[in-house]
Amino acid sequence: METIQKILLVITIIGAVNWGLIGVLDFNLVEMIFGTGSMLSRLVYTLVGISGLVNIGILFNHIESK
């Protein structure tokens, strides 16, 4: 389970870096690599969203276990 959590955390970090690039430089790295509105870019956004939701669950689970 720890390996899955680390993978999900990396995916979340990738999403955060992309949003940072959008906010600071108005540059969307995902769309530059995979194309605007392409199926691959939608897949990346979906994986980032799911990873973020799972990480929220992990955070609250960690807080409750203390």
Side-chain angles (χ1 to χ4, degrees):
M1 189 65 167
E2 186 177 327
T3 303
I4 293 172
Q5 290 175 347
K6 287 182 180 180
I7 292 169
L8 293 174
L9 183 60
V10 167
I11 293 172
T12 304
I13 291 168
I14 290 169
V17 168
N18 190 55
W19 275 110
L21 288 171
I22 292 170
V24 174
L25 303 174
D26 195 26
F27 177 74
N28 190 331
L29 184 61
V30 173
E31 289 187 355
M32 199 259 330
I33 293 172
F34 299 114
T36 303
S38 73
M39 192 60 156
L40 284 175
S41 63
R42 291 174 50 112
L43 177 66
V44 170
Y45 293 136
T46 301
L47 288 174
V48 168
I50 291 170
S51 297
L53 292 174
V54 171
N55 282 327
I56 290 171
I58 292 169
L59 172 67
F60 285 118
N61 187 26
H62 180 70
I63 290 172
E64 290 174 0
S65 66
K66 287 189 174 186

